[in-house]
Amino acid sequence: MKPCLAPLIAAACLAGLAACAPPPQQQAPVVDPYANMGSGALYQGGLPGGALGGEASAEYFRAQVGDTVQFAAEQTTLSAEARATLSRQAQWLNRHADFNAVVQGHAEETGTREYNLALGARRASAVQEYLIAQGVPASRIRTLSFGKERPAAVCSDEACYAQNRRVVTVVTPAGPGT
Amino acid sequence: MFRTLTVALILGFGSTALTALPLAAQDGPLRIEITDGVVEPMAIAIADFHGDSEAAQQIRRVVADDLTGTGLFREIPSEAMIAQPDSFAAAVAYEDWRAVNAQALVTAEVTRSGEEISVKFRLFDVFAGQPLGDGMQFDARAGDWRRAAHKIADQIYSRLTGEQPYFDSRIAFVQETGPKDARIKRIGVMDYDGQNIRWMTDSSSLVLAPHFSPDGRQLLYTSFDSGFPQIRAMDVATVTSRPLTQGGDSMAFSPRFSPDGRWIVYSLEQGGNTDIWLMDAATGAQRPLAQSPAIETSPSFSPDGKRVVFESDRSGTPQLYIMPVTGGEPTRISFGEGRYGTPAWSPKGDMIAFTKRLGDKFHIGVMRTDGSDEKILTESFLDEGPTWAPNGRVVMFTRVTPGGNGEPRLHSVDITGRNMRPLKLDFAASDPSWGPLLR
């Protein structure tokens, strides 16, 4: 699990570790993504340029911008770290208007199949809203949920569950007619 | 007296035309009561079936497996039998069967002519020394010999338990192959005991959670074939499917038919929020049923078609709610510790089966429709998605083993919590849906 970046997130991390404890607290499905945003403040490191076929490529987006954000167990709230990643995604998408994005939500395996589809959709929607708030036109972003069908890591403990509670932004060049 | 029942053989899967026959009066003294207490299985002797030897042996084995598979019957081994009847028509030597402590006796005869087989059977109460119900005859195409066997076992089960039968039924499921992070899924339909598998989809797109229509002729399921989860309907006999929902900006999944087949209740996601909707199966017209800013999914109709039970996390965690199909305020019914999901209303109407997550374990359980008398039936790393046998006595569900090589298997359990057993399949499978009793 990645280090907690702020007290706000520490609570979420704790909730993540205690994945099976009673729910931390009742909470609105999607917390206001604009609160305490601090966009850019957590921007981490410079980006090596020129690698992987240039900046205007899906490969660059995935490897250098960062295509994945993670969530605490059963949560759909964006962490500070997630918001930093999404701000970079938004900047990249705003620079490359010829790319569209499919935002894919996922959930860990400890949940029922159908609930996890809905949970993944909620996570994808939280990411989509954030990207839109950062200036990416809504028409360029579609959402999709895979629920627990496509885990990124396959072990059955928190190390893998944390990686699987994620939203992946997949960018593709906008073709004619799209 | 002898009754003849023609098992009109099914050529295509699912299209059946079997003449129903009322049971003879069967208030015989021999009965096994299915209760919560520990049950001593009833000792049943299944005499060698007379007639065409290969078919007779095969049919006898299926009848025996059906009965012993319930955990309610114990088969007297053939080696223990003192003497086999000389013929199907011969008088029963009750003393010989009492001597081996058989409580019930089954005799049968199989005849085959060309592509037709005919099976006659009789059931006897050994200690009372009298027949239990009328003898019956089932005629079937040779290729449907398993159905004839299931029909006989259904008759015996029904006469000895007083319950409705369930062996002559089918189960839709999802076969899972490939690694855990790139699973290939395919929908199949099989006999309730895992035999006669027919594939409904190929491996080209991700498919989830098939659900039988009340008549067993259609399956509703969720498919990613457009790239986005949408609901499709499959005609089981012709293996052709059509989309019921269209892409756009929303996802549709978790479909179930109403008991009369006129309505489809399902989950529709819009802008990240998932609600329960109703669709007119004939016109495709859709309207919302249960809406809130929370997740609403996994709906299931009551057998009278008047109410729907579903799962919602509007309280903060997933719990079960019931509401009238005409609309109104949902009533929460689950109040135990933990999270509840995938409710399935029993065909008898009295119980709701569910998935429960408590601590780091998953359970299958049942409760009354007002949430009382909750009973936990199973426990494992991940149990999910109960589906009811047509008689409401047994549920089947998915059990997933943990780890990178973990995989799902189908299991069944009696609603008293006894007789947990895996379904014998030589591949991983999930998402069972138990279809109706075949006619």
Side-chain angles (χ1 to χ4, degrees), chain B residues 121-198:
Chain B
F121 90 99
R122 285 199 181 97
L123 178 63
F124 300 92
D125 177 341
V126 171
F127 285 87
Q130 64 186 30
L132 198 50
D134 294 334
M136 288 180 79
Q137 175 175 331
F138 295 89
D139 298 329
R141 298 170 56 94
D144 283 334
W145 65 271
R146 284 187 157 273
R147 282 205 61 201
H150 292 317
K151 282 287 182 208
I152 289 169
D154 272 336
Q155 282 291 322
I156 296 166
Y157 172 90
S158 216
R159 292 181 193 189
L160 292 176
T161 65
E163 299 282 345
Q164 293 296 308
Y166 68 92
F167 302 128
D168 186 24
S169 60
R170 291 188 178 131
I171 289 165
F173 64 97
V174 174
Q175 180 200 42
E176 300 201 12
T177 54
K180 196 172 174 181
D181 55 357
R183 208 71 109 189
I184 294 165
K185 297 198 171 194
R186 190 154 67 131
I187 292 174
V189 171
M190 62 190 171
D191 293 355
Y192 101 101
D193 57 0
Q195 299 291 319
N196 287 330
I197 293 167
R198 292 283 192 94

Side-chain angles (χ1 to χ4, degrees), chain A residues 138-163:
Chain A
S139 60
R140 292 174 56 201
I141 312 171
R142 284 200 73 174
T143 60
L144 167 63
S145 174
F146 282 100
K148 62 176 174 179
E149 305 305 318
R150 290 288 179 260
V154 297
C155 71
S156 292
D157 53 49
E158 176 56 25
C160 289
Y161 297 161
Q163 296 178 61

